[in-house]
Amino acid sequence: MKGVIRTEAALPGMCLSEAVVDDSGRVLVPEGAVLTESLIQSLLRRGVSELCVDQATEEDPAEREIRRARIVRSVAVYFRQAGDGVGSLALQEAILTFRMGRGE
Amino acid sequence: MNKLSHEEIVHGLRQLPALPTVISEVLSSFGNDEADIGLICRQVARDQSLTARLLRVANSSFYGLQCRVATINEAVVVLGFRAVRSMLLTLSVSSAFGKQDCPGFEPRAYMRHCVGVGLAARAIAETTGRNPDLAFAGGVLHDMGQLALASIFRGAYAQALAYRREHDIPLLIAEQDILGTDHVLVGGLLADTWNFPASLRSAIAGHHTPSAATADSLADLVHVADAIAHGLGLAGDDYDLVMPVDFTAWQRLGLDQDKLARILPRVVDGLDEASQAFSA
C-alpha cells in the first residue's frame, strides 16, 4: 500500500515508492530506496516535507521505540564514565545517530 | 602486590624479541626522505613470512585494489612506500609478541580494538588533512604497551585486568593502581627500545594526555580515534568504556557531526576485513 507521509513521520526501514526530486527535477533519492535515520535527517535539512512510501514496510512504532531505547542504553553504557565535556557529548551524539541509522 | 620498578620494566622490555632487521631500515626511513626504498624492498623480499603477510593485506579489500599485487615492489608502486611502510611496521610488531596467554587478556578483542582505532585515525587524518598511513600505524600500535605488559608480567597484568573488571574502572587506572605503571608509559619505553620515530612514539605515549603533545603530533588524532573505537564497542568487551575526551584534542581536530557521520561508517564497515588481514 502506497501513501504520502510527512518526512518527520518517516521511519527507518520504510521504502520510497516514488523518487525524491529537488525543484529542478533532479533525483535526490531514487525510488525503492530504504530510509535510514541519517537519510531522513538529511531530507529534513534539505526542506523535503513529504515522502511517498510503501506503507507495508513501515516499522511498528512500538517496536521502533523498543529498538531506539535499546540503542540509547547500549551507547550510554559505553559512555558511562566519559563525563560531560564537549567532545564526549558530541561523540556520544554522533554514535547514537549512526547506530539509530543502522538500526543496530 | 609489589609495584613494578622502572628497572624491572626496562629489563623486561629488553627480553622481548628484536623486530626483524629490515624493520630497523623501515624505522630509519621515517626521518629520511632519501631512504633507499629499493634496498628495503629487497630485504623484505628475503623474509618470506613477512612478504606473504604483506601481500595478503595489500590484496585484501582494505586497500580496494583493482588488480592483485604479486611482489613487494608492485605493492610499493601501487600503494606507495608510505602505505607499505606502515603495513610492514604494524605486521612486524603484532607478530613480535607471539601467542598471548595472560588470563583475562583477549588477543582477538585487543586486535579488533586496535585495528578499529587505526581505521578511525586514518579516517580522521583524511578528514583533517594529515598523513593517513602514519595515522593508521599509530592507531594500530597505540596500545602496544598492553601487549608488552601481558607478555612480560603475565601474572601481575592478569591481576590488573581482574581489578579493572571488579571495580568497573578504566584500564589505565587499574594498571596504575595494581602495577604502579601503565600501558602508555610502557608503550613509550618500548617505542624508545625499538627506535620508533617521534610521530609514532607520541601516538603511543601521548594518547591519554594529548593536550601535553604538540598540535601536529598524532596524539590528538589517536586519542579521539581511541574514544570512537571504545564508544562503538568494537572490541566486544562488556567492560569497554570511553574515557573523557580531551577538550584541547577535540578543539584542535575541529570535528563536528557531519565529519563524524562520514568517519563512523568507514570504521565499522572496514573492521572485519582489516582485523582479519592484520591478525597474525
Side-chain angles (χ1 to χ4, degrees):
Chain A
M1 187 178 75
K2 294 178 181 179
V4 179
I5 59 167
R6 291 192 346 274
T7 309
E8 303 94 84
L11 298 168
M14 286 181 171
C15 184
L16 288 179
S17 57
E18 285 183 21
V20 179
V21 296
D22 66 11
D23 293 341
S24 53
R26 282 179 304 192
V27 174
L28 297 176
V29 187
E31 177 187 341
V34 177
L35 296 176
T36 62
E37 188 88 19
S38 59
L39 182 55
I40 295 166
Q41 294 306 319
S42 169
L43 291 171
L44 285 169
R45 278 199 298 275
R46 292 193 69 118
V48 176
S49 58
E50 291 182 333
L51 299 171
C52 295
V53 296
D54 182 350
Q55 304 268 14
T57 58
E58 188 175 330
E59 184 182 7
D60 178 73
E63 281 182 19
R64 183 181 188 235
E65 276 313 304
I66 291 169
R67 186 172 57 81
R68 181 188 285 271
R70 191 171 61 237
I71 294 172
V72 168
R73 270 199 309 277
S74 164
V75 173
V77 166
Y78 290 128
F79 280 82
R80 64 192 180 280
Q81 294 189 28
D84 57 2
V86 61
S88 296
L89 293 179
L91 191 55
Q92 185 169 0
E93 181 189 341
I95 288 177
L96 189 57
T97 304
F98 169 71
R99 288 190 53 188
M100 290 287 193
R102 293 274 173 122
E104 57 195 20
Chain B
M1 72 157 285
N2 291 329
K3 304 290 168 79
L4 299 174
S5 70
H6 182 79
E7 289 70 27
E8 281 178 289
I9 296 166
V10 170
H11 177 75
L13 292 175
R14 288 196 183 126
Q15 307 308 309
L16 285 173
L19 292 173
T21 311
V22 63
I23 299 303
S24 302
E25 296 286 340
V26 168
L27 285 166
S28 64
S29 76
F30 277 90
N32 177 14
D33 291 339
E34 295 174 4
D36 188 340
I37 296 172
L39 174 69
I40 291 173
C41 289
R42 286 194 295 278
Q43 289 180 333
V44 172
R46 283 201 285 269
D47 186 331
Q48 292 185 6
S49 166
L50 186 58
T51 303
R53 295 180 66 209
L54 180 127
L55 293 176
R56 186 159 67 99
V57 175
N59 287 311
S60 72
S61 66
F62 178 68
Y63 285 103
L65 297 182
Q66 298 297 314
C67 56
R68 291 185 67 79
V69 290
T71 66
I72 180 164
N73 290 71
E74 284 180 22
V76 169
V77 169
V78 176
L79 295 170
F81 179 62
R82 282 178 167 186
V84 170
R85 179 171 66 180
S86 289
M87 226 188 303
L88 286 170
L89 191 56
T90 50
L91 289 171
S92 299
V93 169
S94 63
S95 58
F97 290 93
K99 192 170 164 52
Q100 298 293 324
D101 60 354
C102 171
F105 185 82
E106 302 291 342
R108 187 172 174 275
Y110 170 87
M111 183 50 82
R112 279 182 69 83
H113 170 71
C114 288
V115 170
V117 175
L119 292 172
R122 188 168 80 155
I124 296 172
E126 286 172 349
T127 305
T128 56
R130 313 278 281 276
N131 178 341
D133 296 311
L134 195 58
F136 179 76
V140 174
L141 299 174
H142 79 290
D143 274 344
M144 70 177 188
Q146 289 182 29
L147 272 182
L149 284 164
S151 298
I152 305 166
F153 304 106
R154 182 175 167 275
Y157 202 57
Q159 283 186 40
L161 293 169
Y163 180 82
R164 167 206 170 202
R165 292 194 170 96
E166 185 184 343
H167 295 275
D168 187 29
I169 52 177
L171 180 58
L172 190 78
I173 307 299
E175 291 168 346
Q176 290 165 352
D177 284 357
I178 298 296
L179 308 173
T181 189
D182 56 52
H183 67 270
V184 168
L185 193 145
V186 172
L189 289 171
L190 185 54
D192 292 337
T193 304
W194 282 343
N195 293 317
F196 273 28
S199 52
L200 286 175
R201 192 194 186 285
S202 78
I204 295 160
H207 72 270
H208 281 295
T209 50
S211 54
T214 55
D216 60 345
S217 91
L218 282 176
D220 287 345
L221 215 141
V222 172
H223 172 76
V224 173
D226 192 29
I228 288 174
H230 283 303
L232 288 167
L234 300 182
D237 177 351
D238 292 341
Y239 298 91
D240 218 344
L241 59 83
V242 179
M243 291 179 75
V245 176
D246 184 271
F247 179 77
T248 305
W250 186 260
Q251 294 290 102
R252 281 173 179 169
L253 291 173
L255 296 178
D256 56 28
Q257 293 300 315
D258 284 344
K259 289 176 183 168
L260 288 166
R262 290 196 297 275
I263 290 167
L264 296 176
R266 298 178 57 192
V267 179
V268 171
D269 295 341
L271 185 66
D272 285 343
E273 177 82 24
S275 295
Q276 203 171 24
F278 280 91
S279 293

